Amino acid sequence: MYKHSFRVCFCFRRRFRTNVAEAPEDVKRVFDQYSENGTMNIDQLQMFLEEVQGEESEMKAHAIFDNLKHLNIFQRRGLRLEDFFRYLLGELNLAFSPSQGVYQDMRAPLSHYYIFTGHNSYLTGNQLSSASSVTPIIRALKRGVRAIELDLWPSSKKNGINVLHGGTLTAPVKLIKCLRAIKDHAFTASEYPVVITFEDHLTHDLRKEVAKMVTTTFGDILYVPKSEDLNEFPSPESLKGRILISTKPPEHTKVESTKEKPSADKRRDTADDDIWESTMSREDTDEDYLEEDDKDEEIVIPEYRSLIAIHAKKMKRGSNLQTFFNDIEKVSRLSLSEQELENATGNCGRDIIRFTQRNLLRVYPKGSRLDSSNYNPMLAWTHGAQMVAFNMQGYGKYLWIMEGMFRGNGGCGYIKKPDFLLNNSEQENSTSRSTSLIMIKRLKLKVYMGEGWDLEFGPSHFDFYSPPDLYVKIRIVGVREDTVVKRTIPIEDQWVPVWNEEFSFSISAPELALLQVVVLDHDTSGKDDFAGQTCLPVRELRSGIRAVPLYNRKGEIYKHVKLLMRFEFE
């Protein structure tokens, strides 16, 4: 115990007895079981790793001893309780470790994978007035994002190409800068392919310039398909280190039009209808205007069209979505807003799943999200949508879920979709049935304690006159049957809270199940204060007593804040 005081007024202080981090009773019992005379030798540590932690590597015990020796808490005879406790809270004993690398089969077509996807990847802030820059593109690529969206517009003099959110006050950035940034940072976090989706608002002359820029910038790493007539996408494995372009190809033939073309200013003002009209897709609106422009001129542009690896398709206005999903011969990409997807799943959910078995579905935030907020990605994932596009420049619980999903599979940016979304059998097309090789029916966990807030924050960060009252909110994110929220009781006035609370969760689809952990400071007079979060794939959690590092709101890991938890699977 140590004393912690808070100044209440000029002449009065409140003093609190604050405990220091010490091993929970379960840890003490385990240590007693696998030690002798107060020390644990290397053979006993190896036995603990095998029987409690589920780790069979004989080298692990030696690595732990070597690491503790380096930290100067190694004793010749073995580990003492304090040494053992510090190991359990250390970097060698994390509940989730991406060090296992990519373990899923990466040889299936792209349509068989969820792809870490950004929306308006160039924006630094809100959707209306923020600047466009290469900085958010670079940041997204470093976080493992594998699909970058760029909106292409003519410059003010119509002789150059800018990237910006059209019809808004967002400041532009030059396309060439974006392309160079992508080339320089595309494979920093992952060697698997990067898809660049163009929202094309250009004349055919400027498209020729785009083709030249793309070819010159990317050179041999640009994937150029041999044919447009693809019945199946290539695999992520075959596309390692490659850049792919995805956009709607220009039309092949010349068609005379009697319609009056809207002026350039009018097109610019009305192109982004997803901002102003929530019922209409921005992609569809833009392409309608482009079609009217292009019908009066020859627009073959082979040098541009040939670079498109993933062809984007659009539905004609008034056409039936269900018919569209079942009338695709060549593989392609379709974009829907989150609202359009929600409406479609009510009538043709199974058709969407069948469509995404061969084709790519991109879902993007509805236009009313001017603050660059995000939506729950689970509806899209459970219907097979591969490219669930998110605003990466913000933060919030849905972005934490997105980051949690793509921490899986070595953080490579590609996650294999569950078998029940790839099987054509009607019996298996259920979003609640698991065909995973890893059969997890139940997750049991125990939250022991937490530490590090006093090292990470100032004494009055949470409360002006007392230490925080911390509690843990635990949520399983997944299919409807699995989704549940539980919480510990708040521990009053403690920087090192000890909860010792157990929880149990039924898991029906472990491939889509995520464990979201949020620590909050209970506040009786207002909103509870944020104190850390993490989100982890359930099927990649490591069993046993484990350390769980926490992240801040922006997804940056804290240096000191972590929980000690125990995980068991049935």
Side-chain angles (χ1 to χ4, degrees), residues 438-444 504-507 510 538 543 567-570:
I438 304 175
M439 295 304 296
I440 300 173
K441 295 181 179 180
R442 182 171 296 276
L443 167 64
K444 292 183 178 180
S504 180
F505 303 93
S506 296
I507 305 292
V538 165
S543 62
F567 301 94
E568 297 180 57
F569 301 100
E570 292 181 357

Side-chain angles (χ1 to χ4, degrees), residues 110 113-117 146-147 360 386-388 406 413-415:
L110 284 177
Y113 300 85
Y114 299 122
I115 304 172
F116 201 176
T117 301
R146 298 289 87 192
L360 297 180
Q386 299 88 348
M387 306 177 76
V388 183
F406 286 100
Y414 287 82
I415 302 291

Side-chain angles (χ1 to χ4, degrees), residues 482-535:
D482 294 347
T483 302
V484 64
V485 179
K486 297 183 180 181
R487 65 186 66 198
T488 68
I489 62 172
I491 303 299
E492 294 184 358
D493 302 329
Q494 287 294 337
W495 287 105
V496 184
V498 178
W499 295 285
N500 282 323
E501 293 194 47
E502 297 182 73
F503 303 96
S504 180
F505 303 93
S506 296
I507 305 292
S508 60
E511 306 94 332
L512 292 175
L514 301 167
L515 174 68
Q516 187 173 48
V517 178
V518 182
V519 180
L520 300 166
D521 169 45
H522 180 63
D523 191 339
T524 57
S525 60
K527 185 177 180 181
D528 293 346
D529 297 320
F530 174 84
Q533 60 86 21
T534 191
C535 189

Side-chain angles (χ1 to χ4, degrees), residues 121-156:
S121 304
Y122 48 87
L123 287 181
T124 58
N126 67 63
Q127 303 287 308
L128 285 179
S129 60
S130 65
S132 302
S133 169
V134 300
T135 300
I137 296 174
I138 295 171
R139 186 182 300 118
L141 290 169
K142 288 183 176 180
R143 291 166 77 175
V145 171
R146 298 289 87 192
I148 298 294
E149 182 189 29
L150 302 177
D151 288 322
L152 309 186
W153 290 88
S155 64
S156 57

Side-chain angles (χ1 to χ4, degrees), residues 52-96:
V52 179
Q53 304 294 81
E55 299 182 42
E56 298 181 358
S57 172
E58 294 183 3
M59 299 301 295
K60 183 65 180 288
H62 291 278
I64 293 169
F65 264 57
D66 290 342
N67 183 267
L68 294 174
K69 184 176 180 180
H70 173 71
L71 293 175
N72 199 29
I73 57 172
F74 174 80
Q75 299 295 317
R76 286 185 178 273
R77 294 188 303 161
L79 306 183
R80 297 170 301 179
L81 174 61
E82 179 61 24
D83 305 331
F84 179 66
F85 176 51
R86 295 325 303 178
Y87 150 68
L88 291 178
L89 275 168
E91 296 297 319
L92 293 179
N93 188 49
L94 300 181
F96 169 83

Side-chain angles (χ1 to χ4, degrees), residues 346-359:
N347 300 319
C348 49
R350 294 188 183 277
D351 297 296
I352 297 173
I353 293 174
R354 278 192 288 267
F355 174 82
T356 58
Q357 289 170 356
R358 293 180 56 241
N359 303 279

Side-chain angles (χ1 to χ4, degrees), residues 139 143 392-395 399-400 403 407 456-457 530-534 549-561:
R139 186 182 300 118
R143 291 166 77 175
M392 299 300 299
Q393 68 271 40
Y395 56 83
L399 185 54
W400 302 339
E403 291 172 336
R407 287 192 177 107
E456 203 81 40
F457 305 105
F530 174 84
Q533 60 86 21
T534 191
L550 299 184
Y551 298 76
N552 65 18
R553 290 181 183 273
K554 295 182 179 180
E556 301 162 338
I557 194 166
Y558 287 128
K559 292 182 180 179
H560 307 286
V561 179

